[in-house]
Amino acid sequence: DATALQGAIVLTAESAATGVSSTGAFVRVPVLATPTTVVAGWQRQHIVRSTTSSPVSKAAEGSGSWASALSSAQSSGAGVPANGPNASRPLSIAASEELPTVQGQKELSDRASESLMPSLSSLRDISANQRTSTSAKQPGQGASQALGHEIDVQTASSVHSLGEAHGNQSSTTKTVLQRCQELNAAVLQEEANAPILREKLGCKCASITDRLRYLLCHVNYATEMKKAHEVDKVLEFAGGAGTRAMEHTRKILSFGTRVPGEQGWNKTIEYITAKLAPLGWELERDCFKMNTPAGQKPMCNIIASFNPQAGRCLLDLAAHHESKQIKDFKFLGATDSAAPVGMLLELGEALAPMLQARLQESDGGVPCLRLVFFDGEEAFESWSETDSLYGARHMAAKWQLQKDPFNPTLKRLDSMNVLVLLDLLGQKSPSLTWHFEKTKNLFLALMRVEERLRERRLLRGSGGIGGGPYFVEHIPGRRGGRGHVQDDHIPFLKRGVPILHLIAWPFPPMWHKPSDDLSAIDPHTVADLMGIFRIWIAELYGLRPGQEVQPLG
């Protein structure tokens, strides 16, 4: 059965950019190494899709200089979101931190859903100068479009699935569970390397279907990199932790503002795609249009998946790539959220060689890792359910209905094990804490990595507020339980996906101000956070220094 995925296009190797033209039609274009030079020598297969429907020890509460400083900042209201036309991410305090799963939402049948998707053949036939005006409406949708609702611009009756576009790899590539079953049989037959491979693959966890138990299993069995040379190797890999993230941040900020539809926004999308395409990531552009208080806006989520055919992704790492539209000044959004995007790009570059090596070693049995770059997080006028989180709302609703291309018995949302969302990062002295009980153990693993790096004096930044750790279990002065900062995780949280929200609290002082530019980013803090993130992920995935195919140039 054709999966309700929109316009899957197979490109090879360093190609990987399918774009939407100014008229909304699909155009097949290779990634450009420079603005004028086409990369040649396609080798590996990649998938690009585009749619026109369109820590340290446990912190003691209230003690220590850092705790006092953090409590003071909290009580003074520093960085706390304000109401008003430029307000964003409102905060609510609740004794119970979990939002209820959406119940009673009627799902469209696969056939009805597919009927709304643009077909690959019809999109190829659309001339850039002859755009059809036909539009499709979701069942029950009126003639007029409400703000915050996506606008379908094409109709179609068929669509190519991502699995089909990938050469039917879904039927030939082993999932982690299948590979582990083979290794269990090999162990019984006393094959020499089978026990070692089974351990490296995390086979103790592979058969667990519950999201949280699966996650906890990987946390419990993660092999810590305790030897100094192992930690040093990861920190120095790809030019040193934080180096590439800073380069990406500078480049993205050089594009100017990134409001959807602007030149800087388009350049950012092309840049993200071009950086990940040659590294073994399977790329998708999920492009659509939304009605906003500022008029109709084009938007594109970018999804980069490593080994998605293996089954569920252990981690989905995410950040939003656009910047807020502010009338009074040009808002660049360095911490919000160019630097988090730069961090994700560095993770994509630094981990890919080790992931590739393990993929070869394990005959495909590596858990999926996914990077998600959301569009339209910011409100155009005033934060509301319809004026915010455009890309995240679009993707969560769409994935709840779609079949997973490599596991057609599941909906695509079920491939998300936990969403790790980065936001408001890069400035000096950020403090981060856990917000959801279900992912607390995952956050504590970050704390342990930071503690080990501090013991070896491998962190160069000033730490969190008051010189304490970046990752803190308790925030002094916080009242009434864990806070819900409205962010791109909300549509997924409502649908039952566990969330790890890594956002600076209190908000940085440059939040939504002209000063949130390159000068707001502290390279030492970025380096520290990147070292922590890279080791944390490598340990969860069982990656070891020295496994890389080759270091980045």
Side-chain angles (χ1 to χ4, degrees), residues 89-333:
R89 301 185 187 90
L91 175 72
S92 62
I93 301 295
S96 174
E97 75 285 347
E98 301 295 341
L99 293 181
T101 302
V102 172
Q103 299 291 339
Q105 179 174 354
K106 184 178 180 181
E107 293 189 1
L108 300 172
S109 68
D110 289 337
R111 182 175 180 181
S113 178
E114 288 168 8
S115 70
L116 298 174
M117 305 303 178
S119 70
L120 184 59
S121 58
S122 65
L123 286 168
R124 281 174 173 167
D125 292 337
I126 296 173
S127 167
N129 297 320
Q130 294 179 335
R131 167 74 182 283
T132 178
S133 60
T134 305
S135 63
K137 297 291 189 293
Q138 296 272 350
Q141 190 173 345
S144 61
Q145 292 284 343
L147 292 181
H149 287 202
E150 65 185 88
I151 302 164
D152 300 312
V153 295
Q154 294 296 330
T155 57
S157 59
S158 64
V159 66
H160 294 260
S161 74
L162 184 56
E164 290 169 343
H166 203 269
N168 291 321
Q169 285 196 23
S170 58
S171 62
T172 60
T173 304
K174 298 180 179 69
T175 65
V176 175
L177 180 57
Q178 290 170 331
R179 185 68 179 123
C180 286
Q181 290 170 342
E182 292 177 354
L183 287 171
N184 287 336
V187 169
L188 292 176
Q189 296 175 11
E190 299 183 353
E191 293 185 16
N193 293 327
I196 299 174
L197 284 175
R198 187 171 63 173
E199 185 71 21
K200 287 183 177 181
L201 281 181
C203 289
K204 294 183 180 70
C205 311
S207 63
I208 299 175
T209 58
D210 180 79
R211 279 173 167 145
L212 292 176
R213 289 182 59 213
Y214 180 72
L215 175 64
L216 182 60
C217 181
H218 277 275
V219 172
N220 289 340
Y221 284 105
T223 304
E224 293 186 351
M225 297 178 189
K226 293 186 176 181
K227 297 178 181 179
H229 77 272
E230 290 184 326
V231 176
D232 289 341
K233 180 75 174 178
V234 172
L235 287 176
E236 294 171 3
F237 185 63
T243 302
R244 296 288 292 166
M246 284 300 303
E247 291 176 2
H248 296 314
T249 302
R250 290 188 189 98
K251 187 65 176 179
I252 292 170
L253 292 175
S254 74
F255 299 148
T257 57
R258 307 179 304 283
V259 177
E262 292 184 345
Q263 186 179 32
W265 167 84
N266 189 64
K267 288 182 177 180
T268 300
I269 293 172
E270 295 298 326
Y271 183 78
I272 293 170
T273 306
K275 290 301 174 183
L276 294 175
L279 301 175
W281 297 90
E282 295 181 10
L283 296 169
E284 307 168 46
R285 286 186 182 184
D286 180 15
C287 297
F288 53 99
K289 292 185 179 181
M290 300 289 274
N291 272 337
T292 78
Q296 188 181 116
K297 295 288 184 179
M299 297 186 186
C300 281
N301 296 323
I302 306 167
I303 302 104
S305 305
F306 194 96
N307 202 31
Q309 57 269 28
R312 285 174 298 169
C313 291
L314 178 58
L315 297 177
D316 278 77
L317 309 173
H320 73 90
H321 66 78
E322 98 291 1
S323 62
K324 182 173 177 61
Q325 178 175 284
I326 298 180
K327 296 179 181 178
D328 297 335
F329 57 88
K330 291 184 177 181
F331 178 67
L332 293 179

Side-chain angles (χ1 to χ4, degrees), residues 332-346:
L332 293 179
T335 67
D336 190 16
S337 197
V341 169
M343 293 177 181
L344 291 189
L345 288 175
E346 178 178 305

Side-chain angles (χ1 to χ4, degrees), residues 9-13 15-18 28-31 42 44-48 165:
I9 297 177
V10 178
L11 303 181
T12 46
S15 71
T18 298
R28 174 174 173 168
V29 292
V31 165
W42 294 355
R44 293 186 302 271
Q45 280 193 333
H46 294 274
I47 296 178
V48 180

